[in-house]
């Protein structure tokens, strides 16, 4: 049986992650309070932000920006969207 958490983003009980995604307190907080679905959605959104905004993970400012956006995204707050992103049409 998979573990469940009360997801911070969706405000309901959902399947949790199998292990913390980061070391330390931030990873433990995500593990304890974020659903597997919300985390997957964040990783997809993060990839889109990195690609669309041409972010470098070697740049401390880019990493700080992504951490701030992650907190907003996972808390259900307003977060940055990738400008110009057009989702693929379902007919393709």
């Amino acid at each position: 049986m998979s573990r469940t958490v009360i997801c911070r983003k969706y405000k309901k009980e959902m399947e949790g992650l199998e292990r913390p995604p980061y070391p330390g307190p931030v990873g433990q907080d995500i593990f304890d309070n974020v659903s597997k679905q919300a985390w997957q959605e964040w990783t997809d959104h993060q990839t889109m932000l990195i690609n669309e905004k041409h972010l470098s993970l070697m740049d401390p400012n880019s990493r700080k920006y992504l951490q701030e956006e992650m907190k907003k995204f996972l808390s259900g707050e307003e977060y940055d969207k990738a400008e110009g992103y057009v989702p693929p049409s379902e007919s393709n």
Side-chain angles (χ1 to χ4, degrees):
M1 182 173 173
S2 60
R3 66 184 278 283
T4 60
V5 296
I6 303 297
C7 182
R8 182 180 295 145
K9 180 171 180 65
Y10 290 109
K11 314 275 191 265
K12 64 181 182 179
E13 190 171 353
M14 299 176 75
E15 182 180 356
L17 294 166
E18 295 173 13
R19 61 187 160 282
Y22 290 148
V26 172
Q28 189 63 47
D29 179 56
I30 292 168
F31 180 71
D32 293 339
N33 300 294
V34 174
S35 67
K36 190 176 196 176
Q37 177 184 334
W39 182 253
Q40 182 60 54
E41 290 171 3
W42 163 249
T43 58
D44 293 345
H45 184 71
Q46 174 181 248
T47 300
M48 187 171 35
L49 288 175
I50 291 167
N51 291 337
E52 295 295 320
K53 295 181 177 286
H54 306 287
L55 301 176
S56 167
L57 296 180
M58 298 299 289
D59 177 15
N61 291 326
S62 292
R63 290 195 311 269
K64 182 178 178 189
Y65 164 76
L66 288 171
Q67 280 195 326
E68 290 168 0
E69 292 307 306
M70 177 183 70
K71 287 177 188 174
K72 291 184 221 176
F73 184 92
L74 295 175
S75 295
E77 299 173 22
E78 281 295 312
Y79 56 89
D80 247 359
K81 314 285 192 298
E83 302 90 16
Y85 173 73
V86 178
S89 84
E90 297 199 14
S91 63
N92 289 345

